[in-house]
Amino acid sequence: MSVSANTTATATTTTATTTASGQGATIWLTGLPSAGKTTIAVELAERLRSEGHRVEVLDGDEIREFLSAGLGFSREDRHTNVQRIGFVAELLASNGVKALVPVIAPYTDSREAVRKRHQSEGTAYLEVHVATPVEVCSVRDVKGLYAKQAAGEISGLTGVDDPYEAPEEPDLRIESHTQSVQESAAALHALLTERGLA
């Protein structure tokens, strides 16, 4: 009988000492290809880990390869991909992980469905718009997508010949083309601190 009493006391103490570093959240960074989403997420992840947070970066390319293989780039396939990522992010976040999601997620309804899933589960969710203009992204062209689209090798490039619906009221808008990666990550860290998540 004393064993179960001690177990209960230990569980209560553990629950009571949960801090910001132990609270999970999904931080979704949306924006055009080559906007700087992943670069900012990786920078923020390093800082959060150094502060004792459990962090995972759910990179869009890796998700497509391992979780959404076989999906194309139609509106329906993009929606399905975003919902799968949102499900995994919420699962991680509900278990105390900061899930950083640098994924384009071009459609408002797809992002809103992910937000609603998080709300229904009581899991923190922040939407961050990395608002880099297409002119800057096409010069950065990290993956060569803009050059391929201009050469007619690919079509359906988000923000060029496929729509990107920018968030109207994100939790944070970062203009990565006007500040350093470190400044962008610091702005996002400040938001997490303000919301009691860092």
Side-chain angles (χ1 to χ4, degrees), residues 161-178:
D161 59 353
D162 202 67
Y164 175 73
E165 299 168 357
E168 291 183 15
E169 295 182 24
D171 295 286
L172 178 66
R173 193 176 313 277
I174 295 175
E175 297 186 355
S176 71
H177 57 294
T178 65

Side-chain angles (χ1 to χ4, degrees), residues 125-185:
Y125 177 87
L126 299 174
E127 182 177 76
V128 178
H129 180 207
V130 182
T132 310
V134 69
E135 299 79 17
V136 175
C137 295
S138 65
V139 171
R140 290 179 179 171
D141 204 10
V142 178
K143 300 172 190 165
L145 297 175
Y146 292 94
K148 288 179 182 178
Q149 191 277 336
E153 296 173 23
I154 63 169
S155 63
L157 181 59
T158 301
V160 179
D161 59 353
D162 202 67
Y164 175 73
E165 299 168 357
E168 291 183 15
E169 295 182 24
D171 295 286
L172 178 66
R173 193 176 313 277
I174 295 175
E175 297 186 355
S176 71
H177 57 294
T178 65
Q179 59 190 16
S180 70
V181 172
Q182 292 75 18
E183 290 169 328
S184 296

Side-chain angles (χ1 to χ4, degrees), residues 97-126:
V97 176
K98 301 290 188 306
L100 306 181
V101 187
V103 173
I104 297 169
Y107 307 120
T108 302
D109 60 343
S110 296
R111 294 190 307 266
E112 189 56 30
V114 172
R115 180 185 293 278
K116 285 181 180 175
R117 169 185 289 280
H118 281 71
Q119 287 173 339
S120 71
E121 297 296 328
T123 305
Y125 177 87
L126 299 174

Side-chain angles (χ1 to χ4, degrees), residues 9-162:
T10 303
T12 304
T13 304
T14 303
T15 303
T17 59
T18 300
T19 63
S21 66
Q23 184 176 353
T26 293
I27 301 94
W28 197 294
L29 293 87
T30 178
L32 297 173
S34 297
K37 302 177 298 296
T38 300
T39 305
I40 294 167
V42 168
E43 180 75 20
L44 178 62
E46 288 177 14
R47 180 169 178 183
L48 290 171
R49 285 185 185 115
S50 74
E51 296 171 351
H53 297 268
R54 294 169 52 211
V55 181
E56 289 295 334
V57 177
L58 300 179
D59 179 78
D61 293 332
E62 291 177 358
I63 295 289
R64 273 206 173 265
E65 181 180 352
F66 296 108
L67 187 63
S68 293
L71 289 180
F73 292 91
S74 68
R75 185 178 182 97
E76 296 77 20
D77 282 357
R78 289 178 195 235
H79 178 77
T80 298
N81 185 49
V82 168
Q83 297 317 297
R84 288 178 183 177
I85 297 168
F87 174 79
V88 172
E90 195 284 323
L91 191 63
L92 288 168
S94 68
N95 284 283
V97 176
K98 301 290 188 306
L100 306 181
V101 187
V103 173
I104 297 169
Y107 307 120
T108 302
D109 60 343
S110 296
R111 294 190 307 266
E112 189 56 30
V114 172
R115 180 185 293 278
K116 285 181 180 175
R117 169 185 289 280
H118 281 71
Q119 287 173 339
S120 71
E121 297 296 328
T123 305
Y125 177 87
L126 299 174
E127 182 177 76
V128 178
H129 180 207
V130 182
T132 310
V134 69
E135 299 79 17
V136 175
C137 295
S138 65
V139 171
R140 290 179 179 171
D141 204 10
V142 178
K143 300 172 190 165
L145 297 175
Y146 292 94
K148 288 179 182 178
Q149 191 277 336
E153 296 173 23
I154 63 169
S155 63
L157 181 59
T158 301
V160 179
D161 59 353
D162 202 67

